[in-house]
Amino acid sequence: MSKRILVRWLAAIALGIVASGSLLAADARTVEWPVYGLDSANHRLAPITAINPKTVGKLVPKWIYQSGVVGTFQATPLVIDGRMYVSLPNSHVVALDAKTGQELWRYEHKKRVERICCGPANRGVAFSKGKVFVGTVDARLIALDAANGKLLWDVEVAHPEAAEESRNSLGATDRLKDAKVSGASGVGIASAPLVFEDRVIVGVTGLGYGLHLDSPRAGAPLGAVVGLPGQFGGIGFLAAFDVNTGTLQWKFDTIRHPEDGGWEGAFSDNTPDGVPLNRDTVAEKAGVETHRNAWQFGGGSIYSTPALDLKTGWLYFGVGNPSPQMNGDGRPGDNLYTSSLVAIDGRTGTPKWYWQQVPHDLWGYDVTSPPVLFEATVKGAKIEAVAQASKTGWMFVHERSSGRLLYKSEAFVPQSNLFAQPTPEGITIAPGIGGGVNWSPAALDVSRQLAFVAAMHWPTQYSVKEIPAEGDKPAVPYYAAEPSQGERWGVLAAIDLKRDGKLAWTTKTPQPLIGGVLALQGGVVFTGEGDGNLSAFDSATGQRLWQFNCGAGVNAPPIAYVIDGKPYVTVAAGGSAIWGYRQGDAVVTFGLPD
């Protein structure tokens, strides 16, 4: 074994690719970022100690790459063998020299349809055996030659044409009637693929997305989401494709079919952790026969990359809200497996267990942040666990083999009127439709037993409206969620896994946090804000140690890597249109002075 290969092999082990939860010596000459979550367990903990509380204040920009594609930029770059692979808005992909930022090649994606359901965001690519894989906004999976960016194969994951909501269905007096439409139910792919053995695994997005409208409310950059009655979107799924040919190997639908017991479930009055849902299950049960086929348009998007247990081959992933969004009148029951954490066999797609955080979800509480695998200690016993930071404001920790809830953390954001029913005059609920933790990845520091989450306090006003009766047609209710006009902010929280989820610290930030967290073994945590600031915080205390304004909203997760013994931190700065943050097109990389 050559010295270079040995160093890379040791670095790969240190990165936790074997998902062992242990780290070897940090600051190897080469540290890569080979998969979306850094390792299969989604830890996002880079084994770098040269950047620490004493040195982080010295970070300076090393290079800036401007792609020329302005749009919602949410990508996690990969760094492999000195190259950085970045997915741009609208599913374009570039390869860069990770030391200099020089563009090496560029793939320009040509959409098959002009209208896309959910904006241009793409959260990353996957790499395996000389190929780069990207899921696209028009629901395709593409393999590129990592050497030159040439297209190797291109397969349709889902047909992009689906029934979508229209503002023409709103009541004539609704002040949102003339608002600009920014999204509607459909199908695309936003999450980064995951390669497991000879399979590329990816999920679809946009089913049950709801009608997204620019809000006319002053000072409310996050627009309104409207849930209309009807059959929109379809059935979400996770699927595996052959890495060499793109041939479908298996497909797991996120809506439970009638032959598997139906998606109605047990008509739960409470969440599985005991919080009342304020449901009228009697009325729901009375409507089952009328809406027996509602599951065929049930929603259940997948917004993030699964965690993978390499020892068992099991995948752990979250499922989005049911369809129609917020409007539960036509979908009686718990609507399985929506708003759930799900485990399946990664080799066959066979389901293992599910845990539904919010049965019959009316609030848009998708399970969107990527799950994280670790070894939990509960009452002195070591248990293989999976954790997920939720939109509802808790981190849920489960036994990995069964889904049994081990504990949930203390709430890391304010909670009020949780699971309250919408009213005609509107009721303000926190966390709102954005969360809690949205799609933003958490980071987990194994040695410190701390999980770091990027969250927000952004309450939402939920209201029920009405399409008036016309002729022999009765009045029809529909539902809207708009950001409240009260104060909003971000929360970076450290959750103590040694103390059953007690909060070690929380730090308030001026902007709601949407993007994700990077942790370094040296004891610093990075996250970005929509005003353009990338900041570093002390892992032990939450104190802000360093800040740099990148010129556009930092609404993507940072990464870190080492080349020739020099550590780097990189983040995509391009804002997020749906959140109203400053748009841009930059990949910004920092390092210590030479």
Side-chain angles (χ1 to χ4, degrees):
M1 183 181 292
S2 71
K3 181 178 179 181
R4 182 166 181 262
I5 293 174
L6 176 61
V7 168
R8 290 188 63 196
W9 178 74
L10 290 172
I13 295 175
L15 286 171
I17 291 173
V18 296
S20 66
S22 63
L23 291 170
L24 297 183
D27 294 335
R29 294 287 296 172
T30 300
V31 172
E32 299 185 331
W33 193 287
V35 296
Y36 177 75
L38 177 61
D39 52 43
S40 64
N42 283 336
H43 284 178
R44 291 184 175 262
L45 172 70
I48 295 172
T49 58
I51 300 173
N52 54 55
K54 293 182 179 180
T55 63
V56 69
K58 300 177 182 179
L59 285 178
V60 295
K62 289 295 185 178
W63 56 259
I64 298 174
Y65 168 79
Q66 292 186 282
S67 70
V69 181
V70 176
T72 301
F73 206 174
Q74 299 177 347
T76 292
L78 302 186
V79 177
I80 299 160
D81 200 19
R83 288 189 171 196
M84 180 179 292
Y85 302 97
V86 187
S87 59
L88 306 178
N90 289 309
S91 312
H92 311 306
V93 181
V94 295
L96 309 174
D97 184 310
K99 288 179 65 176
T100 67
Q102 178 187 357
E103 184 176 295
L104 304 175
W105 57 253
R106 185 183 186 104
Y107 165 76
E108 295 279 348
H109 179 61
K110 296 177 175 61
K111 300 192 297 288
R112 305 278 177 104
V113 294
E114 283 306 311
R115 296 193 67 176
I116 53 177
C117 66
C118 327
N122 188 284
R123 292 176 182 150
V125 299
F127 178 95
S128 179
K129 298 177 181 177
K131 299 182 183 68
V132 175
F133 305 94
V134 63
T136 72
V137 290
D138 53 345
R140 308 191 69 78
L141 181 62
I142 287 171
L144 306 172
D145 189 321
N148 53 32
K150 299 295 185 183
L151 180 67
L152 297 176
W153 51 257
D154 175 352
V155 298
E156 183 178 82
V157 176
H159 194 61
E161 295 180 6
E164 61 182 22
E165 301 89 346
S166 168
R167 65 184 178 185
N168 295 331
S169 299
L170 303 181
T173 61
D174 194 323
R175 64 198 184 93
L176 297 172
K177 186 78 171 179
D178 297 322
K180 179 183 176 182
V181 176
S182 59
S185 292
V187 63
I189 299 173
S191 60
L194 172 71
V195 176
F196 174 42
E197 296 175 348
D198 62 348
R199 307 164 191 86
V200 190
I201 298 165
V202 72
V204 293
T205 304
L207 303 165
Y209 191 66
L211 181 65
H212 281 59
L213 299 165
D214 288 349
S215 179
R217 184 172 289 167
L222 178 61
V225 182
V226 179
L228 293 165
Q231 297 177 327
F232 304 107
I235 295 175
F237 61 87
L238 191 74
F241 300 83
D242 186 276
V243 294
N244 295 312
T245 65
T247 303
L248 179 68
Q249 292 196 345
W250 56 254
K251 179 181 173 186
F252 173 79
D253 285 348
T254 56
I255 298 301
R256 191 162 73 174
H257 290 233
E259 58 268 27
D260 297 321
W263 82 321
E264 290 87 1
F267 291 85
S268 307
D269 291 317
N270 304 311
T271 65
D273 51 311
V275 183
L277 287 166
N278 305 304
R279 290 172 68 178
D280 186 349
T281 55
V282 174
E284 285 182 46
K285 290 175 181 177
V288 167
E289 288 303 320
T290 303
H291 301 288
R292 180 63 72 182
N293 295 324
W295 66 273
Q296 296 178 15
F297 299 87
S301 294
I302 293 175
Y303 289 100
S304 60
T305 304
L308 167 64
D309 186 333
L310 287 172
K311 291 184 290 187
T312 63
W314 288 17
L315 300 171
Y316 302 84
F317 57 94
V319 180
N321 59 264
S323 180
Q325 167 100 298
M326 298 182 298
N327 194 327
D329 296 338
R331 49 173 173 84
D334 294 346
N335 310 144
L336 298 171
Y337 303 102
T338 64
S339 301
S340 298
L341 180 64
V342 177
I344 66 174
D345 188 315
R347 295 184 174 92
T348 64
T350 305
K352 294 299 182 180
W353 56 260
Y354 71 90
W355 199 87
Q356 191 172 34
Q357 289 182 9
V358 186
H360 194 70
D361 182 12
L362 302 178
W363 305 273
Y365 284 147
D366 318 69
V367 180
T368 53
S369 180
V372 183
L373 309 183
F374 73 107
E375 186 178 71
T377 301
V378 181
K379 297 180 179 179
K382 301 286 188 182
I383 301 175
E384 296 293 299
V386 53
Q388 198 277 328
S390 73
K391 273 191 170 185
T392 56
W394 294 290
M395 174 173 270
F396 294 97
V397 179
H398 302 265
E399 184 178 53
R400 208 182 303 172
S401 61
S402 67
R404 175 174 63 96
L405 183 65
L406 299 174
Y407 60 85
K408 67 179 183 182
S409 73
E410 290 184 322
F412 43 76
V413 291
Q415 296 168 320
S416 60
N417 294 325
L418 197 61
F419 307 130
Q421 294 285 324
T423 65
E425 60 277 9
I427 184 169
T428 300
I429 297 174
I433 197 168
V437 176
N438 203 277
W439 64 272
S440 309
L444 193 146
D445 189 322
V446 177
S447 61
R448 294 176 175 86
Q449 282 291 286
L450 293 174
F452 305 101
V453 299
M456 70 186 93
H457 174 64
W458 200 333
T460 297
Q461 186 178 67
Y462 288 82
S463 59
V464 59
K465 305 183 181 186
E466 189 174 79
I467 302 171
E470 183 178 350
D472 59 351
K473 295 181 180 179
V476 179
Y478 65 96
Y479 299 83
E482 293 185 74
S484 71
Q485 293 183 298
E487 188 180 8
R488 53 184 179 265
W489 61 80
V491 176
L492 181 64
I495 298 169
D496 192 338
L497 303 175
K498 300 188 300 295
R499 297 190 298 141
D500 292 348
K502 301 291 184 184
L503 295 179
W505 52 259
T506 61
T507 296
K508 188 176 178 180
T509 63
Q511 298 287 325
L513 296 183
I514 304 144
V517 185
L518 162 70
L520 301 186
Q521 193 178 354
V524 292
V525 176
F526 291 83
T527 195
E529 296 178 69
D531 59 5
N533 285 322
L534 176 67
S535 299
F537 302 82
D538 190 307
S539 296
T541 65
Q543 178 186 357
R544 194 190 301 262
L545 303 172
W546 172 87
Q547 187 173 80
F548 184 91
N549 194 284
C550 297
V554 179
N555 304 120
I559 69 161
Y561 58 98
V562 177
I563 296 179
D564 295 335
K566 295 181 179 180
Y568 298 90
V569 173
T570 292
V571 73
S576 181
I578 193 172
W579 299 93
Y581 291 138
R582 192 188 318 169
Q583 298 287 279
D585 67 344
V587 178
V588 186
T589 295
F590 304 89
L592 296 173
D594 293 330

